[in-house]
């Protein structure tokens, strides 16, 4: 460092040799007339010679050192700031010698003004701050507006700014508001003038060295690091545009920061200035080295203070480096995590709240003191460019993870944080705006962000070696600091290194020295022992989610250490050691992603060896060397343990998806003929138990091993092996158990669990049929459990869960129809269907009621429809022949009977049942042998499609039907003799014979006799009645008087009926021909349950045919495109699939796994008929373009779903439309997704 620049006190006036009273009187006498003439435009200066000006300047120089109790110093500052404008706008009030040689005198004035900033007892006053700000504003105006300033004047101006900043920033931190504001202001002006000088008059090499040495002695001041980061981000934004071009992602910075870089600065100077400013602070890691930081007396004094800010400043410096790294990776950083809670692990006091300001925020706020504007500690989140995504199917991820105190995911709504802007106004009354007055102020608060999806790094990013050449030395040095006091900055450095290495391009080589140092850093940071540093461990995990997906050489060395770290996090339910500086939800999610990237390794590379380096000093005691296959049981144990300890819905969904993928991969490996993952002779059992964590003092779940037999502790079932079948059983049991326990109130998790349970039904594994039967029964019990919950708990979410459970049940029934052959299983499914349709189960009712007597009170209409779909699914897969039932229609039935169209078409009778089913009934012609067995052919059209049934009425069950139905009718008996037997006359008395002997009582006389109550008016009527009785008695007595006996005829059965209205008989048996079902809708408009259709109407048959062409399954279409890196034109994309040489073999394997090739040809009736073919035969030399829909397609179909896959090619679309319109058309077609 230039000793004269750092040690001298500036120019010393000759008046300092006289007593203070003398010097003060001289200054007052001289400065008053000078100050009085400044504001008057007609006043001319009376200083005409150089000697007069120099003598006056000696007086003014001494006046700047006087106390601030009067206006003397203020007047001296006014005079000097006015004279500084000689290079901007010369006026008559400025002495003639200064106007004649402005550079010479302005250089001297700047040397004199240093005396104003010299340490003094009254420098904490607002007057002093106002005077210093006035001088800095004048210097800033001089540099900005002067176009004729010489190089020497520029050098003097920069030295002046270095001197005054050294005077204020070299001492230890002070707590005064004025001192902090002045330090901030002077530092801002220094950097702005330095950048302006780089554009107009580039500073000399010696001045750069002096500035670097001085800034190294100011690093203990927060404002220095803050402004250094600010300038670096502004320069980086400009440099990236010049280096990578406009296609590179824009690194946005606030407008006030971008304005620091002069627009006229040429491209070459931008790069030179950026590199020199980057190293202007020397090595930021030196902040953590007391030997280097303490080389200056001020730094030594600062290092001895117990509440120093060095750890926080060190973290801010590393955060600034991290921001630059993100910019070079092409990641647009909008905001970062709050980092204040990390301070608890640094041993520093919490009384000062620090704030962070990123350049991309564009927000300027003012708060005082400046300590309240320092960066808060914490861990930056993984950037958007953290390498390729983890290969896992995440189910229903959309909602963002909650914070610690946030509501559950299904009821939480993300709200944008309100960020207000404030302006820092200077203490003077100057009205001219200055962007530096607001640019460096950080936001007053930070927003706690979650780990949301971010864009990937730019493909135009530089190589990793180039980035490490720039920042690797600082990052590696910072990451290898072993003191917990610097844990915040060390964690930021480790996270930045992880982001750099996870952004490695395909086939990119990284120097071995960088890889080895990186692996050493991770091995040190991933320790889980008591001496481990939780902030560093959390930072590595948060930024290494894709580390094992980047094909780094030797990355297998980190596998044991990462397993121990992930296990330490995922099996700890509370994470008390990490809560002070990172959100546990985000940390657990990052650990889950790392675990997901580790699970495929033992399956793909079972024989690769994993080693423990350096005698295991960086790993836990439970980490041992071995093959990847030997690590599989532990990974599965961690996966299941994480499911038990996880409380966040999004994280749980990711774990569930990982479980499904794991079983699918194991099943595919076993099906391909690879040996099963076997267990050693002494089976290893994994247990989930609660142990005391020495770090957190709380219960932490952990998996332990043993060989003593099956033991169970609190938590989960024992895992005996990791073959596909065993894992399938374990996962099914775990899902069905958790659905009715801890997940029953979380709709998002329940929906994902049911989806995974349905996915497990599609996995082909060798398990006992009873296990599948148990899984199906568990789904039925779960539906019953949810439907029987109290009414206050019923909501749309609950009904959605029930509908999803019915969908899961459909999958099980479709995939395993053999289970329905068991009577108990079929009855259980039908009972659940009955519960969904009617709301109750007949089996639980005391009395069995008929269908028409049962009230339909379903849980909801959606649940009823889902149950009906399940019933339809059962009817389709239970002993049915879909290919036969789906082909028969009216024309086919007519051809079967070999009759003319006119003779049978009129006999079809059509009815609509429940406004949803169309029944076409054909009463079949009966021969003599079928006279007593009425038959009926039916075509049923409903939501499930068209089905044909033939019905025949029999009075005997099918099993016992050995004879014809005629034997059930008894034959005619012989006629009975008319005189057979004895004829007895039987008199039927109307009253008992002994009625006369019964003594009467008063009650018998309560009703008077008829003759006692008859009046004269009633007497004629009574006589007519008696005459009628007598006449009737005579008629009844006539057979006895004639002497003939009554002949009784024998009862005989009626002859069999040979003519039936079969349709009427069938409908009556179903209870559909009742007054209720046939009632007139009237004014209500509600149709009857059974409505007859008139088939003679014109176009009736054509409408039925169009209805039959509608699919009954869920039919979807998907377009598949093969897009190479950098391709954006439709013609290029479509031409990729023309030849197999243009695509990778993996793409063809992917196509073959989607479905079967089908040949499409147009039928004369408008139907599409498909024929299945072999994939290798169809694909030929094509790259997939043969499946463009013209001749071939790929189709996947089951009982409920049908998906058509089409691979568009240039040959198919060139005849339809121009290639440049293809993408616009596909984007506008919402119903057709693209893959």
């Amino acid at each position: 460092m230039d000793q004269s620049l750092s040690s001298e006190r500036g120019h010393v006036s000759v008046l300092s040799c006289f007593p203070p009273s003398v010097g003060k009187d001289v200054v007052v006498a001289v400065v008053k007339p000078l100050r009085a003439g400044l504001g008057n435009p007609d006043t001319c200066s009376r200083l005409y010679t150089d000697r007069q000006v120099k003598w006056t300047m000696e007086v003014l120089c001494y006046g700047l050192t006087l106390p601030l109790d009067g206006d003397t110093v203020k007047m001296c500052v006014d005079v000097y700031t006015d004279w500084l404008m000689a290079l901007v706008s010369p006026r008559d009030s400025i002495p003639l010698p200064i106007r004649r040689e402005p550079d010479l005198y302005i250089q001297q004035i700047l040397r004199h003004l240093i005396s104003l900033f010299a340490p003094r007892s009254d420098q904490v006053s607002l007057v002093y701050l106002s005077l210093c700000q006035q001088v800095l504003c004048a210097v800033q105006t001089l540099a900005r507006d002067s176009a004729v300033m010489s190089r020497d004047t520029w050098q003097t101006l920069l030295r002046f700014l270095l001197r005054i900043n050294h005077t204020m920033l070299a001492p230890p931190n002070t707590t005064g508001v004025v001192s902090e504001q002045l330090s901030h202001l002077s530092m801002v002006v220094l950097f702005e003038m330095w950048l302006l000088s780089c554009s107009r008059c580039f500073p000399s090499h010696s001045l750069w060295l002096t500035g670097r040495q001085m800034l190294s002695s100011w690093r203990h001041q927060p404002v220095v690091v803050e402004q250094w980061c600010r300038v670096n981000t502004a320069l980086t934004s400009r440099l990236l545009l010049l280096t990578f071009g406009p296609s590179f992602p824009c690194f946005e910075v606030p407008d006030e920061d971008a304005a620091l870089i002069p627009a006229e600065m040429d491209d070459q100077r931008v790069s030179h200035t950026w590199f020199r400013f980057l190293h202007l602070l020397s090595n930021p890691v030196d902040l953590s080295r007391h030997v280097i930081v303490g080389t200056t007396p001020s730094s030594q004094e600062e290092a001895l203070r117990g509440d120093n800010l060095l750890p926080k400043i060190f973290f801010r410096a590393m955060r600034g480096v991290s921001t630059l790294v993100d910019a070079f990776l092409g990641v647009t950083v909008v905001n970062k995590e709050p980092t204040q809670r990390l301070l608890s692990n640094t041993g520093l006091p919490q009384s000062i709240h620090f704030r962070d300001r990123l350049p991309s925020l564009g927000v300027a706020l003012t708060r005082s003191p400046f300590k309240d504007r320092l960066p808060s500690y914490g861990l930056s989140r993984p950037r958007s460019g953290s390498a390729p995504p983890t290969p896992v199917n995440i189910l229903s991820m959309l909602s963002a993870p909650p914070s610690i105190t946030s509501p559950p995911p299904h009821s939480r709504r993300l709200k944008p944080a309100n960020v207000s802007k404030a302006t820092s106004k200077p203490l003077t009354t100057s009205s001219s705006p200055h962007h530096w007055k607001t640019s460096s102020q950080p936001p007053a608060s930070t927003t706690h962000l979650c780990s949301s999806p971010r864009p990937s790094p730019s493909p135009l990013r530089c190589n990793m070696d180039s980035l490490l050449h720039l920042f690797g030395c600082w990052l590696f040095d910072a990451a290898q600091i072993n003191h917990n006091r610097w844990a915040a900055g060390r964690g930021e450095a480790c996270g930045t290194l992880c982001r750099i290495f996870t952004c490695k391009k395909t086939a990119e080589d990284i120097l071995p020295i960088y890889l080895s140092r990186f692996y050493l850093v991770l091995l040190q940071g991933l320790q889980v022992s008591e001496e481990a540093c939780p902030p560093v461990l959390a930072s590595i995990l948060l930024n290494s989610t894709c580390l094992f997906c980047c094909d780094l050489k030797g990355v297998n060395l980190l596998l044991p250490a990462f397993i121990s770290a992930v296990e330490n996090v995922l099996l700890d339910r509370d994470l008390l050691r990490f809560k002070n500086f990172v959100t546990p939800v985000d940390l657990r999610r990052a650990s889950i992603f790392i675990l997901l990237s580790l699970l495929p390794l033992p399956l793909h590379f079972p024989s690769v060896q994993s080693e423990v380096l350096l005698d295991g000093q960086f790993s836990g005691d439970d980490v041992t060397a071995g093959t990847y296959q030997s690590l599989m049981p532990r990974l599965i144990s961690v996966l299941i343990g994480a499911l038990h300890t996880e409380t966040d819905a999004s994280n749980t969904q990711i774990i569930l998806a990982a479980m499904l993928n794991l079983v699918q991969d194991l099943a595919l490996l076993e099906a391909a003929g690879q040996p099963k993952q076997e267990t050693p002779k002494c089976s290893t059992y994994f247990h989930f138990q609660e142990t005391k964590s020495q770090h957190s003092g709380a219960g932490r779940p952990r998996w332990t091993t043993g060989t003593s037999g099956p033991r169970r502790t609190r938590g989960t079932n024992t895992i005996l092996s990791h073959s596909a079948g065993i894992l399938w059983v374990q996962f099914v049991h775990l899902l069905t158990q958790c659905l009715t326990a801890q997940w029953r109130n979380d709709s998002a998790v329940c929906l994902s669990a049911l989806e995974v349970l349905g996915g497990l039904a599609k996995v082909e594994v060798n398990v006992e049929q009873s296990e599948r039967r148990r899984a199906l029964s568990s789904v039925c019990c779960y539906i019953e459990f949810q439907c029987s919950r109290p009414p206050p708990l019923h909501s749309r979410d609950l009904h959605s869960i029930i509908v999803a459970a019915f969908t899961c049940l459909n999958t099980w029934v479709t995939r395993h129809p053999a289970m329905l052959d068991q009577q108990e299983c079929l009855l259980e499914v039908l009972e659940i269907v009955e519960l969904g349709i009617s709301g109750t189960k007949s089996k639980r009712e005391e009395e069995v009621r008929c269908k028409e007597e049962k009230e339909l009170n379903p849980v909801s209409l959606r649940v009823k429809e889902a149950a009906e779909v399940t019933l339809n699914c059962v009817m389709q897969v239970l002993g049915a022949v879909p290919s036969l039932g789906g082909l028969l229609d009216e024309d086919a039935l007519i051809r079967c009977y070999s009759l003319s169209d006119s003779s049978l078409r009129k006999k079809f009778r059509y009815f609509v049942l429940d406004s949803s089913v169309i029944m076409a009934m054909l009463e079949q012609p009966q021969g003599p042998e079928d006279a007593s067995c009425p038959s009926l052919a039916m075509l049923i059209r409903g939501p499930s499609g068209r089905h044909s049934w033939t019905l025949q009425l029999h009075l005997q069950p099918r099993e016992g039907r050995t004879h014809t139905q005629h034997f059930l009718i008894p034959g005619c008996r012989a006629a009975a003799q008319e005189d057979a037997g004895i004829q007895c006359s039987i008199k039927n008395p109307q009253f008992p014979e002994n009625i006369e002997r019964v003594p009467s009582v008063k009650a018998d006389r309560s009703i008077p006799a008829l003759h006692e109550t008859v009046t004269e008016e009633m007497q004629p009527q009574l006589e007519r009645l008696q005459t009628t009785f007598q006449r009737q008695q005579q008629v009844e007595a006539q057979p006895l008087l004639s002497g003939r006996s009554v002949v009784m005829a024998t009862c005989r059965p009626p002859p069999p009926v040979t003519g039936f209205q079969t349709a009427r008989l069938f409908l009556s048996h179903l209870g559909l021909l009742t007054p209720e079902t046939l009632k007139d809708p009237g004014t209500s408009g509600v149709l009857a349950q059974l409505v007859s259709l008139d088939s003679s109407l014109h176009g009736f048959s054509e409408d039925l045919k169009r209805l039959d062409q509608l699919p009954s399954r869920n039919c979807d279409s998907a377009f598949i495109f093969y897009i190479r890196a950098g391709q954006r034109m439709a013609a290029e994309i479509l031409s990729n699939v023309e030849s197999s040489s243009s695509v990778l073999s993996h793409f063809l394997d992917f196509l073959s796994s989607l479905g079967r090739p089908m040949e499409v040809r147009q039928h004369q009736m408008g139907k599409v008929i498909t024929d299945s073919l072999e994939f290798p035969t169809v694909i030929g030399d094509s790259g997939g373009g043969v499946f463009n829909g013209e001749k071939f397609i790929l189709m996947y179909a089951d009982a409920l779903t049908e998906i058509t896959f089409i691979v568009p090619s240039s040959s198919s679309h060139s005849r339809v439309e121009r290639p440049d319109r293809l993408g616009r058309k596909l984007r506008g077609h919402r119903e057709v997704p693209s893959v």
Side-chain angles (χ1 to χ4, degrees), residues 594-619:
I594 295 176
L595 177 62
L596 265 58
S597 65
L598 298 179
L599 283 173
L601 297 180
L603 301 178
H604 293 278
F605 313 103
S607 59
V608 176
Q609 291 286 332
S610 62
E611 299 180 0
V612 180
L613 299 180
L614 305 179
D615 299 329
Q617 69 181 59
F618 296 131
S619 304

Side-chain angles (χ1 to χ4, degrees), residues 170-187:
N173 278 331
T174 57
T175 57
V177 176
V178 175
S179 299
E180 290 183 356
Q181 292 186 357
L182 184 58
S183 300
H184 169 261
L185 180 61
S186 62
M187 198 67 207

Side-chain angles (χ1 to χ4, degrees), residues 84-157:
L84 283 176
M85 297 298 104
L87 280 173
V88 179
S89 55
R91 296 185 295 271
D92 293 339
S93 59
I94 301 176
L96 180 61
I98 298 179
R99 285 181 287 167
R100 188 171 51 245
E101 296 181 301
D103 287 294
L104 178 63
Y105 285 98
I106 287 178
Q107 295 173 19
Q108 187 65 25
I109 291 174
L110 291 175
R111 296 188 187 98
H112 288 182
L113 288 174
I114 295 177
S115 303
L116 178 66
F117 295 88
R120 58 176 72 206
S121 59
D122 52 357
Q123 66 181 9
V124 296
S125 65
L126 295 179
V127 176
Y128 177 74
L129 176 61
S130 176
L131 294 176
C132 293
Q133 183 175 352
Q134 181 180 351
V135 172
L136 292 174
C137 290
V139 172
Q140 188 180 42
T141 304
L142 171 66
R144 286 180 178 177
D145 300 339
S146 176
V148 294
M149 194 185 319
S150 66
R151 182 176 184 82
D152 292 338
T153 306
W154 272 110
Q155 299 285 342
T156 304
L157 185 146

Side-chain angles (χ1 to χ4, degrees), residues 1095-1103:
S1095 59
S1096 62
L1097 295 177
H1098 178 70
F1100 184 83
S1101 300
E1102 288 73 13
D1103 292 341

Side-chain angles (χ1 to χ4, degrees), residues 194-488:
W194 200 288
L195 290 171
L196 192 60
S197 175
C198 292
S199 175
R200 300 180 182 179
C201 183
F202 202 81
S204 63
H205 180 67
S206 61
L207 194 59
W208 280 104
L209 291 178
T210 301
R212 179 175 180 179
Q213 294 173 4
M214 279 194 166
L215 260 71
S216 299
S217 63
W218 307 340
R219 290 178 298 196
H220 60 280
Q221 298 286 356
V223 64
V224 177
V225 177
E226 182 70 26
Q227 293 302 316
W228 175 74
C229 295
R230 174 195 173 205
V231 173
N232 280 329
T233 54
L235 286 170
T236 303
S237 177
R238 181 83 171 268
L239 179 68
L240 293 177
L241 181 62
L242 300 176
T243 306
F244 298 99
S247 300
F248 195 81
C250 180
F251 179 50
E252 297 181 358
V253 296
D255 294 338
E256 57 269 19
D257 288 355
L260 289 174
I261 314 301
E264 65 272 13
M265 184 182 294
D266 57 42
D267 299 347
Q268 185 176 4
R269 291 193 178 187
V270 169
S271 58
H272 282 277
T273 304
W274 176 85
F275 185 81
R276 291 178 180 270
F277 251 100
L278 181 65
H279 296 84
L280 200 59
L281 203 63
S282 298
N283 189 351
V285 187
D286 292 342
L287 289 166
S288 62
R289 301 167 181 168
H290 294 299
V291 178
I292 300 178
V293 176
T295 54
T296 61
S298 59
S299 299
Q300 292 175 354
E301 183 178 354
E302 174 66 20
L304 294 176
R305 297 179 59 187
D307 58 344
N308 64 83
L309 304 175
L310 288 180
K312 306 179 180 99
I313 299 172
F314 171 60
F315 166 77
R316 183 63 187 96
M318 299 316 300
R319 172 60 66 84
V321 175
S322 175
T323 303
L324 300 183
V325 170
D326 292 337
F328 277 96
L329 292 176
V331 179
T332 303
V333 182
V334 178
N335 205 341
K336 296 191 178 182
E337 290 284 346
T339 54
Q340 179 181 358
R341 288 177 292 178
L342 191 61
L343 290 174
S344 60
N345 293 271
T346 61
L348 300 179
Q350 299 290 321
S351 58
I352 301 176
H353 301 281
F354 289 85
R355 300 293 185 261
D356 186 15
R357 184 195 67 81
L358 289 180
S360 59
L361 282 177
V363 181
L365 299 176
T366 57
R367 291 189 60 181
S368 181
F370 187 77
K371 293 179 182 178
D372 292 337
R373 301 193 297 268
L374 279 182
S376 56
Y377 274 75
L379 301 175
S380 59
R381 305 297 308 136
R383 271 60 175 188
S384 60
S386 299
T390 305
V392 60
N393 180 22
I394 302 178
L395 302 177
S396 306
M397 291 279 300
L398 295 97
S399 64
S403 59
I404 300 176
T405 59
S406 62
H410 56 271
S411 61
R412 187 181 66 256
R413 297 292 182 268
L414 298 179
K415 297 181 179 180
N418 295 325
V419 181
S420 59
K421 294 187 179 182
T423 305
S424 174
K425 297 182 179 180
L427 296 179
T428 61
T429 59
S430 174
S431 60
S432 60
H434 302 285
H435 66 264
W436 52 263
K437 297 175 184 178
T438 60
S439 60
S440 62
Q441 306 297 333
S445 62
T446 54
T447 305
H448 195 81
L449 297 181
C450 58
S451 181
S452 57
R454 294 175 171 86
S456 59
S458 171
L460 303 177
R461 64 186 181 274
C462 59
N463 294 333
M464 298 301 102
D465 284 344
S466 301
L467 206 56
L468 292 172
H469 291 337
L470 283 173
F471 307 103
C473 180
W474 298 346
L475 294 174
F476 284 122
D477 290 349
Q480 291 179 332
I481 301 174
N482 294 324
H483 200 289
N484 286 344
R485 183 181 180 218
W486 313 96

